[in-house]
Amino acid sequence: MPPRNLYIWQQDAVNWFLAKTKPGQRSLGSSPTGTGKSEIALALLRQVPGSIIIVPQPDIQRQMACKLLGVESLDCSREWIEERGIWTPMRLRKASCLPAAIIWDEAHHRNCPTWTELGSRLCQAGGMEFGLTATPYCRTSFQTAKFAGLWHNSTTFLTLEMAIQLGFRRRIGCHTIPLVDDDLIKISSTGEYSVEAVTSTTKSKLVQLADIIEDLASRLSTVCWLPSTPRSEEHTSELQSPYVIS
């Protein structure tokens, strides 16, 4: 499959990785979700001899293979995908030899034990690591500092504001619509409320809520949270839009 034409910023990202990363080194680049980091990974796969892409799990492995081949779906074995350079960490851990370079997709997982083991072995052998992520941080400040310390080079290719300006992302909005007067919800002495009580009190508002959600969903990707599973199931049956999640 011939390589796709990259956006200018994506080609600049590829060039940055190739210029900055020397044998035995690690480089990390970040940009928001939905801005095309997979295309950068695939471009590196094509340009760096002996490289492979590591993804966190099998379903992402298959998605990456589809992008590589430019198809919607694939009916093939994991071994077939691995032959084309796309692996998961556990599968590579069992392989007989390491590649010349690893391209980490979702590189914020790099602190995980299997990823750490593979990366350490690779760098000791003089290999290179290229990391791509939308979230260059971890759950705690300690873990984030440890993660940042792994990389010899790091940069941000696109900020969220830049991604919005370029049309890759939309600014997130939050609309809170009260379904019931707070005074009607009984709160216990411990400050908790009963799910059953909330469900009962909001039931009369479901028709109104359905109209609101239908209107939003016709214009925006919409997620609806409801107080209980039975209420969610009941409400889902009333919605016509298949892209609404409740």
Side-chain angles (χ1 to χ4, degrees), residues 137-149:
Y137 47 82
C138 303
R139 294 181 179 178
T140 67
S141 58
F142 174 78
Q143 291 173 328
T144 296
K146 179 181 177 182
F147 175 75

Side-chain angles (χ1 to χ4, degrees), residues 7-10 12-13 30-35 155-171:
Y7 291 107
I8 293 174
W9 80 268
Q10 290 173 319
D12 288 345
S30 61
S31 71
T33 300
T35 53
T155 191
T156 298
F157 299 129
L158 286 183
T159 63
L160 178 58
E161 189 60 38
M162 293 166 64
I164 291 171
Q165 291 176 2
L166 291 171
F168 290 112
R169 296 295 304 271
R170 297 179 63 176
R171 200 175 301 280

Side-chain angles (χ1 to χ4, degrees), residues 5 15 28 35 42 53 55 71 91 106 113 122 138 164 183:
N5 292 328
N15 294 341
L28 176 72
T35 53
L42 293 171
I53 295 174
V55 299
V71 297
R91 295 277 290 187
E106 308 289 354
L122 182 70
C138 303
I164 291 171
D183 293 338

Side-chain angles (χ1 to χ4, degrees), residues 5 24 32 85-86 90 109 117 122 127 149 155 216 224 231-232 239 246:
N5 292 328
I86 304 172
M90 293 304 294
H109 294 291
E117 176 191 331
L122 182 70
T155 191
L216 285 173
C224 176
R231 182 61 64 241
S232 296
L239 295 173
S246 63

Side-chain angles (χ1 to χ4, degrees), residues 24-28 110-111 123 129 136-138 141-154:
Q25 289 191 342
R26 308 178 179 102
S27 296
L28 176 72
R110 180 58 179 73
N111 278 354
C123 274
E129 294 183 61
Y137 47 82
C138 303
S141 58
F142 174 78
Q143 291 173 328
T144 296
K146 179 181 177 182
F147 175 75
L150 285 172
W151 308 95
H152 299 88
N153 314 286
S154 62

Side-chain angles (χ1 to χ4, degrees), residues 16-211:
W16 179 86
F17 274 120
L18 297 177
K20 288 289 187 179
T21 315
K22 308 302 180 185
Q25 289 191 342
R26 308 178 179 102
S27 296
L28 176 72
S30 61
S31 71
T33 300
T35 53
K37 293 184 295 299
S38 295
E39 295 301 331
I40 298 172
L42 293 171
L44 288 170
L45 179 67
R46 297 182 181 102
Q47 295 186 43
V48 180
S51 64
I52 66 168
I53 295 174
I54 291 286
V55 299
Q57 53 201 46
D59 58 334
I60 300 178
Q61 181 186 28
R62 192 167 293 272
Q63 291 171 15
M64 186 70 76
C66 289
K67 292 179 181 179
L68 174 65
L69 300 175
V71 297
E72 291 294 325
S73 62
L74 281 174
D75 182 13
C76 61
S77 66
R78 294 182 67 180
E79 289 79 8
W80 189 91
I81 296 175
E82 289 165 355
E83 289 174 1
R84 281 142 189 85
I86 304 172
W87 291 69
T88 59
M90 293 304 294
R91 295 277 290 187
L92 182 61
R93 189 182 188 185
K94 298 175 183 178
S96 57
C97 59
L98 288 173
I102 290 178
I103 304 156
W104 300 105
D105 182 54
E106 308 289 354
H108 48 276
H109 294 291
R110 180 58 179 73
N111 278 354
C112 297
T114 301
W115 296 54
T116 298
E117 176 191 331
L118 291 171
S120 298
R121 287 168 53 195
L122 182 70
C123 274
Q124 288 172 7
M128 297 181 291
E129 294 183 61
F130 308 93
L132 287 156
T133 183
T135 51
Y137 47 82
C138 303
R139 294 181 179 178
T140 67
S141 58
F142 174 78
Q143 291 173 328
T144 296
K146 179 181 177 182
F147 175 75
L150 285 172
W151 308 95
H152 299 88
N153 314 286
S154 62
T155 191
T156 298
F157 299 129
L158 286 183
T159 63
L160 178 58
E161 189 60 38
M162 293 166 64
I164 291 171
Q165 291 176 2
L166 291 171
F168 290 112
R169 296 295 304 271
R170 297 179 63 176
R171 200 175 301 280
I172 298 173
C174 179
H175 304 273
T176 301
I177 303 170
L179 295 181
V180 66
D181 189 326
D182 288 347
D183 293 338
L184 299 179
I185 303 297
K186 294 182 178 180
I187 306 297
S188 70
S189 59
T190 60
E192 299 177 341
Y193 61 81
S194 163
V195 169
E196 291 77 10
V198 174
T199 297
S200 174
T201 308
T202 58
K203 187 172 183 179
S204 62
K205 293 282 188 174
L206 284 181
V207 175
Q208 179 185 346
L209 177 61
D211 291 340

